[in-house]
Amino acid sequence: MTGTTTAQPNQIPHEVGLTDDEAARVRELIAREPNALEWAMFGAMWSEHCAYKHSKQLLRTLPTNGPAVVVGPGENAGAVDLGGGLLCVFKVESHNHPSAIEPYQGAATGVGGILRDVFAMGARPTAVLNALFFGPPTDPGVRRTIAGVVGGISFYGNCVGIPDVGGHISFEDSYAENPLVNAMCVGIARAEDLRFASGARPGSAVYLVGSDTGRDGIAGASLLASFELGAGSDEKRPSVQVGNPFLEKLLLEATLELVADDAIEAVQDLGAAGLTCAASEVAAKSRVGVRIDVSAVPRRARAMTPHEVMLSESQERMLVVARPGREREVERIFGRWELHGARIGEVIAEPVLRIFDRDELVAELPPRALADDAPEYDISELASSYRPVSDERLSGDAERDEEPRQTGKIGLELLELLASPPIASRRAVYRTYDSMVGTDTVVGPGGDAAVMRIKGREDGIAIAIDAQPRLAALDPFAGAALAVAEATRNLVCMGATPLAITDCLNVGNPERPKGAWQLTRTVAGIKAACEALGVPVVSGNVSLYNATRGQDVWPAATIGAVGHLAEVTRHIPVTTGRAGDVVILAGNALVSLDAAVYGAMHGVHRGPVQMDLALEARLQKLVLAAHARGIIRAAHDRAEGGLGVALAELAIRDGIGMKVTLPAYRGIDKRAALFGEAPSGIVLVLDPRHEADLRALAAEHQVALWTLGAIGGDLLEVVPVLGTPVASLARAHAEGLARAMGAA
């Protein structure tokens, strides 16, 4: 390669986001000065978004092996074994900065990208879930963001025909200008159909199929997603991609048909960094080279340069490597699905990525230098230089109260909590999603976790996605660990055995001490919880630089969890129970208002955050053992709002009341007992004839139980604290979020 840049040596590297040291490393790797296109390719592939420069060392510490794991981190998605030759393939990804700049398209293309990650593995997507983090819904600007994000998610998922079955939503001031939009997809694949990006062999034809290439998304990975948002963010609006879900559906079906016919060697989604990333990753993983002619790439814009073609992030595109002799079949399948598929090059034996524009060689780079040789930064010393404060207030201006102010009757406070944005029903959001398309949804949004059947089989899966940003703001280690605990606990509340998790780490600037400390502690928290609970991490994503004008968002580890049900019809139902059933709290009753929603409503947000991962593991095993014996009628996680909200939500399920007393715990008053929060608590409902059996199991698992009372009547009666009609509880819970967002 003889082409060189005429710019000053450091000018182009800086323009594409590379530091002086990184530019020097590039020159050392290829032993010359790159040209402008090559600099741009390195800038994209060595961006934080693609290279994980500040997190890769930390991520290697996570447990990734387990008896069910078939594919761990490093591929498009992870996979676990469901038995009988079927795999569950899943991953969670972020689309935060694009959604902050252009909420509708940012969220829509986030859904499209995570779908392609799953069907690129040869799996049919069966469900999507979302974890969304917004500012206060009373803010007009935040309302516009919510409307855009929710609209984009529902538009894309509904059009493709993938049910949206669950999610998490946080509303905190920290996310007002930097919302977080995380999307998870779960798919099912036959083991023999599993495909990787590492199967390309010399002499095979390389195709680009799907949408024509345009100028949308250029520099999205290297600039938009790898730096902080600021006053100039609107200037990056053209970097946000535009999605076409109808084309995605065709691409999905064509890819799965190619896989079923065994007509392809490798397949790779074109996401961040576009054709540069797809080609270099396939070549690097396959230990081969690729020759590409950009003039053969179908385009929807005139006079596009090789730079624009190679860095475009236009959506709904796949790189497909055909098996030798199967090219006509591949092209026939493209045509059958009315897709524009073009042969743009071939695999070569020499490990080099050669980019031509007709007969002109415009770039020549080793693919491993692009895909594997980015620098890795050890941020441990920077992280250790940060000294966390003991308390962080919810509001930086308000004085912290020593204790929450008691503002009224407890019954009215329960109604206020149920109607508050952190707790109110999310139906105002998820009713825009189609949760039943495909006819595999057994339990959709509204339960502790979603439950999906597997056609033609008795077993099924449960899926949950959770986060704990309020706790992570105080202690990133505890917030991340307890997000893992909550996600797996929610699976257990449906009767499913957790198999593995996927994680999305949303953190601020890792080049500052606080951001480095938060990232380090977040990964350590996930590691600790996974080891304690016996669940490996099989896939994930890291989203850094979530900050606006120097102010980091609260760190949020989004955890997606998948569990297995031996008989899908025997999941724990989303029910209140029957009149006369006994209500029992299992686990931990030592709760606090300090980091609870009730405390936040009264100006209190402080640590320390308490947790006992060993107790969490025992509690989850107890519930699964009790369910296996047919003991449990209903189960519900004690989460935001504490025991009072958990009991109210149980009553709301079937509109049946209950009469209970609060567990007696020394030093905890009635408000703390009712509204205090802590991990490792599950409310169980069972036939009183089974109480002795449950107590025997609890003793075996060393888990404490408190008998609270019984199901019956039309009131939630907490003696002697409150007595509130279930209809009033249901109304407050159902209408709260819509009212907060300004809807009648």
Side-chain angles (χ1 to χ4, degrees):
M1 181 68 192
T2 58
T4 58
T5 178
T6 58
Q8 294 299 316
N10 288 330
Q11 180 180 346
I12 290 181
H14 290 174
E15 289 176 357
V16 299
L18 296 174
T19 67
D20 289 342
D21 287 343
E22 289 168 348
R25 181 181 176 94
V26 169
R27 295 185 184 100
E28 181 181 352
L29 283 170
I30 68 172
R32 60 178 172 83
E33 182 76 12
N35 64 29
L37 172 57
E38 292 168 334
W39 276 127
M41 293 168 69
F42 270 108
M45 292 300 296
W46 284 20
S47 67
E48 187 66 47
H49 188 72
C50 291
Y52 288 28
K53 294 180 291 190
H54 291 88
S55 61
K56 192 173 285 187
Q57 289 187 7
L58 297 171
L59 297 177
R60 292 195 186 100
T61 67
L62 294 174
T64 58
N65 296 315
V69 175
V70 176
V71 178
E75 280 293 337
N76 285 304
V80 292
D81 189 1
L82 298 177
L86 285 189
L87 309 178
C88 180
V89 179
F90 61 101
K91 187 182 183 183
V92 63
E93 278 267 10
S94 64
H95 231 222
N96 299 336
H97 282 22
S99 299
I101 300 299
E102 175 43 64
Y104 188 95
Q105 290 295 346
T109 52
V111 175
I114 197 64
L115 290 176
R116 291 193 299 278
D117 280 339
V118 167
F119 71 74
M121 298 286 292
R124 177 171 292 279
T126 57
V128 293
L129 304 90
N130 325 282
L132 311 176
F133 305 77
F134 300 116
T138 53
D139 182 294
V142 170
R143 287 179 181 175
R144 288 191 291 271
T145 299
I146 295 172
V149 167
V150 172
I153 290 170
S154 61
F155 163 71
Y156 206 100
N158 292 354
C159 290
V160 178
I162 309 298
D164 194 313
V165 298
H168 167 93
I169 306 181
S170 287
F171 298 100
E172 303 291 353
D173 291 344
S174 176
Y175 306 114
E177 294 187 82
N178 194 140
L180 306 179
V181 177
N182 297 171
M184 176 181 176
C185 180
V186 177
I188 301 295
R190 297 188 304 172
E192 61 266 29
D193 287 341
L194 200 62
R195 286 296 181 275
F196 305 98
S198 57
R201 299 293 178 264
S204 300
V206 176
Y207 289 85
L208 183 60
V209 60
S211 175
D212 289 351
T213 298
R215 291 190 171 96
D216 49 329
I218 294 173
S222 58
L223 296 179
L224 177 60
S226 299
F227 291 92
E228 293 184 15
L229 297 174
S233 298
D234 282 351
E235 298 171 4
K236 297 186 176 73
R237 194 173 299 274
S239 293
V240 178
Q241 309 96 323
V242 178
N244 180 345
F246 301 104
L247 186 59
E248 178 98 345
K249 173 63 172 175
L250 300 177
L251 188 60
L252 184 161
E253 298 297 344
T255 301
L256 294 182
E257 185 172 340
L258 289 167
V259 167
D261 287 357
D262 199 25
I264 57 177
E265 291 180 335
V267 59
Q268 178 68 40
D269 164 42
L270 268 72
L275 187 54
T276 293
C277 183
S280 61
E281 287 193 347
V282 167
K285 290 178 180 178
S286 303
R287 299 186 179 277
V288 295
V290 175
R291 183 189 187 280
I292 289 175
D293 181 1
V294 294
S295 70
V297 173
R299 311 175 190 191
R300 61 170 180 260
R302 293 182 179 180
M304 289 184 69
T305 65
H307 172 279
E308 291 172 324
V309 173
M310 291 301 299
L311 274 300
S312 168
E313 294 182 9
S314 294
Q315 296 290 285
E316 294 84 40
R317 297 183 300 162
M318 304 287 278
L319 193 73
V320 172
V321 180
R323 292 197 185 282
R326 306 292 292 277
E327 294 86 359
R328 284 195 175 183
E329 184 178 354
V330 168
E331 293 167 4
R332 178 188 61 79
I333 291 174
F334 290 163
R336 191 167 93 81
W337 290 102
E338 299 180 357
L339 289 169
H340 197 170
R343 184 169 178 168
I344 64 169
E346 65 180 0
V347 180
I348 59 177
E350 185 181 1
V352 63
L353 184 61
R354 290 197 177 98
I355 311 301
F356 286 83
D357 186 5
R358 293 184 171 85
D359 296 328
E360 180 186 1
L361 181 63
V362 294
E364 184 176 33
L365 296 171
R368 294 194 67 182
L370 289 166
D372 300 332
D373 292 339
E376 296 180 15
Y377 296 122
D378 184 347
I379 61 172
S380 57
E381 185 174 346
L382 184 63
S384 65
S385 70
Y386 179 70
R387 293 293 178 265
V389 294
S390 58
D391 287 322
E392 291 199 25
R393 294 191 295 271
L394 186 62
S395 169
D397 300 323
E399 289 296 323
R400 176 175 60 82
D401 291 334
E402 289 303 316
E403 297 296 338
R405 296 184 298 272
Q406 298 179 8
T407 57
K409 294 183 177 180
I410 292 184
L412 295 177
E413 289 180 324
L414 176 57
L415 291 172
E416 183 182 8
L417 268 176
L418 286 169
S420 67
I423 293 173
S425 168
R426 274 52 178 137
R427 189 175 184 278
V429 171
Y430 68 68
R431 70 182 182 86
T432 67
Y433 307 150
D434 189 336
S435 62
M436 299 302 294
V437 62
T439 69
D440 290 330
T441 306
V442 178
V443 177
D448 286 70
V451 175
M452 308 294 294
R453 69 170 54 85
I454 302 171
K455 284 187 172 68
R457 293 180 31 147
E458 291 185 350
D459 61 336
I461 58 172
I463 322 163
I465 190 167
D466 288 290
Q468 292 279 359
R470 183 183 302 278
L471 302 182
L474 298 168
D475 182 349
F477 179 95
L482 295 181
V484 176
E486 182 184 21
T488 53
R489 190 187 315 129
N490 281 328
L491 299 181
V492 166
C493 284
M494 305 305 295
T497 301
L499 295 178
I501 69 164
T502 179
D503 58 16
C504 186
L505 312 186
N506 305 277
V507 186
N509 191 329
E511 298 177 61
R512 292 194 290 258
K514 184 176 182 180
W517 173 76
Q518 289 178 334
L519 178 59
T520 300
R521 297 302 293 157
T522 295
V523 175
I526 293 173
K527 177 178 184 290
C530 287
E531 290 176 344
L533 301 176
V535 287
V537 181
V538 298
S539 60
N541 172 245
V542 178
S543 174
L544 303 181
Y545 299 98
N546 289 291
T548 303
R549 292 182 289 276
Q551 185 65 40
D552 291 341
V553 301
W554 284 358
T558 295
I559 304 298
V562 170
H564 188 238
L565 290 152
E567 294 181 58
V568 73
T569 57
R570 290 194 64 248
H571 68 275
I572 299 176
V574 182
T575 182
T576 304
R578 301 174 186 174
D581 282 349
V582 65
V583 181
I584 292 176
L585 173 65
N588 172 28
L590 184 58
V591 294
S592 169
L593 295 174
D594 286 350
V597 174
Y598 182 92
M601 290 175 63
H602 298 88
V604 174
H605 180 219
R606 62 189 177 211
V609 180
Q610 303 290 339
M611 65 178 180
D612 183 342
L613 293 173
L615 170 61
E616 180 70 40
R618 297 196 304 272
L619 173 64
Q620 293 188 18
K621 290 176 182 176
L622 164 65
V623 174
L624 290 174
H627 173 57
R629 295 193 185 185
I631 290 174
I632 298 174
R633 186 100 71 195
H636 187 34
D637 174 29
R638 180 192 61 203
E640 289 83 0
L643 181 59
V645 167
L647 294 173
E649 290 176 339
L650 265 173
I652 289 168
R653 288 178 172 182
D654 293 328
I656 305 173
M658 63 185 73
K659 184 176 182 179
V660 299
T661 57
L662 295 172
Y665 216 103
R666 185 179 300 175
I668 298 179
D669 67 15
K670 59 187 179 183
R671 274 186 171 80
L674 194 63
F675 302 133
E677 298 176 19
S680 308
I682 298 177
V683 180
L684 302 174
V685 178
L686 55 147
D687 188 306
R689 293 175 298 177
H690 296 314
E691 184 173 355
D693 293 336
L694 179 65
R695 290 196 172 277
L697 280 174
E700 181 182 331
H701 287 83
Q702 299 181 336
V703 174
L705 300 180
W706 287 265
T707 299
L708 304 180
I711 301 294
D714 58 3
L715 299 178
L716 172 59
E717 189 174 357
V718 182
V719 181
V721 178
L722 63 85
T724 305
V726 175
S728 298
L729 301 173
R731 189 179 309 113
H733 190 245
E735 298 176 357
L737 185 54
R739 290 187 183 277
M741 293 193 297

